[in-house]
Amino acid sequence: MTSSRTRRRGARSPGLAAAGAGLLLVPLAAGCGSGGSGGSGDVRIGVPAPLSGDSASAGQDILAAAKVAADEVNKAGGVKGKKIRIVQADDQCSAQQGAQAAQKLLNSGVVAVAGGYCSGAAVPAIPIYGRRNVPFVMDASTNPSLTDTGKGKVFRTCGRDDNQGLVAAKFMTGPLGAKRIALLHDNTTYAKGLADAAAASVKQAGGQVVYEDALQPGQSDYSPVLTKIASTKPDVLYFTGYYAEAGLLMKQLGLKFTLMGGDATTDSTVLKTAGSAAEGYIATTAPLAKDLPAASAFVSAYKAKNGADPGPFSVYEYDAVKVLAKVIGQTGTKGADIIKGLHGVKDFPGITGPITFDAKGDRTDPLYITVHVQNGAFTAYKKLDKSGAWVDAKSS
């Protein structure tokens, strides 16, 4: 059954195969994205994101960050004298809409794509872009399969769920001292992938997975699920789903074990949902904008333009647009040349840190930390240093 909660980062519409079949209904635009820069002489970069539905807060944040990056490039002279134009498409975090958004962007003449909050929406979009040699630089879609099967045309400024799952397992079995760990997901591509990665890493770290199952997204009462989990006597429950459910879980927990979450639970909306129950909540995530010294100018520009603080994936979208602008300025707008140029990127000075892509298109230096809620805000907490010790995440 399809519910409103299919519009999310890892969501599946009624099966990815069905979404693939639906592609036949969308006409191809001749020549779009294969080397042009738009009839108006601009350089068009597509931004697919959930602009409506339950994950719209994250999608609107990603779009806003892309526009900040484009504005900066344009004010500095653009790309070889041409302005970047951001072309948006609402993928609603579903496979079917992800495919349609991809075709819409190609029809709009984009030469590259930067975005993608939902892994489930990215899965069917990737081959659509790939067939036209349009590179896709993802800012938040973290399922490992996306770059593993992307044929070298898919890149990430964010990390991968196998990296995040490892960090989560080490933190739960290390600083938290957990032996018995419960894993709760929502059966989406992202959430189940992160739960499975965490399960494998927990076992390698000597912990015991006492529960791994899915909740039904979009419900108002998760106390039956929490009661069932409590019966397995976990030390920690690691929830790998999204912020809407995370907020409710915090409010309804009322049980004697720790609740921890993944990077899709760090949107500020969760704090509004959970209220005071969020205090002390821990999540694994890539560093947030406010905790990155190099992002201070971006944070100021974002707030000035949008009247709000940037969200958790904003800086990764900003870097995705910036690295594309840099490469397009060097290679021109032909897709195959942009892809080759991205593979040649080495230590690009991103505000999230130096960016170098490996052969698959993943960052060579993915970083995950833990954050916790202090005084009603997500705050950097702990990270692993080079020796494998947990240290203050705010330290250099």
Side-chain angles (χ1 to χ4, degrees):
M1 182 177 69
T2 303
S3 73
S4 64
R5 294 299 292 170
T6 59
R7 299 189 295 272
R8 317 150 57 121
R9 179 154 63 139
R12 308 170 195 262
S13 66
L16 296 181
L23 301 184
L24 298 176
L25 302 177
V26 184
L28 292 174
C32 289
S34 62
S37 57
S40 62
D42 49 26
V43 176
R44 301 183 183 188
I45 295 178
V47 177
L51 304 178
S52 63
D54 294 324
S55 293
S57 173
Q60 294 290 349
D61 173 61
I62 287 167
L63 177 61
K67 290 180 178 179
V68 170
D71 285 349
E72 289 184 7
V73 173
N74 292 340
K75 287 177 182 178
V79 177
K80 291 188 173 180
K82 295 181 179 180
K83 289 188 175 183
I84 289 179
R85 177 180 169 188
I86 297 298
V87 183
Q88 67 194 58
D90 184 5
D91 65 22
Q92 297 183 15
C93 277
S94 79
Q96 181 176 1
Q97 292 300 319
Q100 292 180 6
Q103 194 59 60
K104 175 186 175 181
L105 292 176
L106 292 182
N107 290 348
S108 299
V110 301
V111 299
V113 176
Y117 180 67
C118 306
S119 294
V123 169
I126 284 171
I128 298 174
Y129 298 131
R131 284 193 292 270
R132 307 295 288 279
N133 272 338
V134 172
F136 185 7
V137 183
M138 301 181 297
D139 66 327
S141 297
T142 51
N143 189 275
S145 69
L146 301 177
T147 45
D148 286 351
T149 62
K151 299 182 179 179
K153 301 176 184 179
V154 180
F155 303 82
R156 264 192 268 245
T157 54
C158 57
R160 293 165 49 115
D161 289 329
D162 42 4
N163 301 136
Q164 183 176 188
L166 177 62
V167 170
K170 287 185 175 181
F171 186 81
M172 290 186 288
T173 59
L176 292 185
K179 301 295 184 184
R180 299 173 59 83
I181 293 165
L183 299 166
L184 182 64
H185 57 87
D186 61 12
N187 260 335
T188 59
T189 304
Y190 155 74
K192 189 174 188 309
L194 178 54
D196 290 345
S201 294
V202 163
K203 293 169 186 176
Q204 290 175 358
Q208 181 183 1
V209 176
V210 297
Y211 180 94
E212 183 177 1
D213 206 348
L215 53 68
Q216 176 63 47
Q219 304 298 303
S220 60
D221 183 9
Y222 289 108
S223 54
V225 174
L226 290 168
T227 299
K228 184 176 181 181
I229 293 170
S231 70
T232 67
K233 299 181 179 179
D235 300 313
V236 179
L237 166 60
Y238 186 47
F239 175 60
T240 63
Y242 292 82
Y243 54 83
E245 285 73 38
L248 291 174
L249 290 171
M250 291 176 203
K251 291 180 69 173
Q252 297 168 5
L253 189 60
L255 300 166
K256 298 185 182 298
F257 54 81
T258 299
L259 175 64
M260 184 171 154
D263 58 349
T265 69
T266 57
D267 189 277
S268 62
T269 306
V270 79
L271 304 176
K272 299 173 185 176
T273 302
S276 61
E279 198 68 16
Y281 176 71
I282 300 170
T284 52
T285 184
L288 305 179
K290 66 178 182 177
D291 298 319
L292 292 165
S296 59
F298 163 76
V299 172
S300 297
Y302 185 104
K303 291 178 72 171
K305 189 175 180 66
N306 299 285
D309 292 321
F313 296 101
S314 58
V315 281
Y316 301 92
E317 174 66 10
Y318 174 92
D319 275 354
V321 173
K322 281 297 191 79
V323 75
L324 276 171
K326 177 70 172 180
V327 170
I328 292 169
Q330 296 170 337
T331 67
T333 58
K334 187 175 180 180
D337 293 339
I338 301 172
I339 291 168
K340 183 177 179 180
L342 286 167
H343 279 291
V345 167
K346 183 174 176 59
D347 294 330
F348 174 81
I351 59 174
T352 59
I355 296 174
T356 300
F357 297 115
D358 64 18
K360 288 182 179 179
D362 289 307
R363 286 182 75 152
T364 57
D365 62 339
L367 175 63
Y368 281 100
I369 66 170
T370 62
V371 295
H372 61 173
V373 178
Q374 267 191 328
N375 301 318
F378 282 106
T379 305
Y381 188 31
K382 298 291 183 181
K383 68 178 181 180
L384 284 167
D385 67 11
K386 292 182 179 179
S387 71
W390 288 97
V391 298
D392 186 345
K394 293 182 180 178
S395 65
S396 58

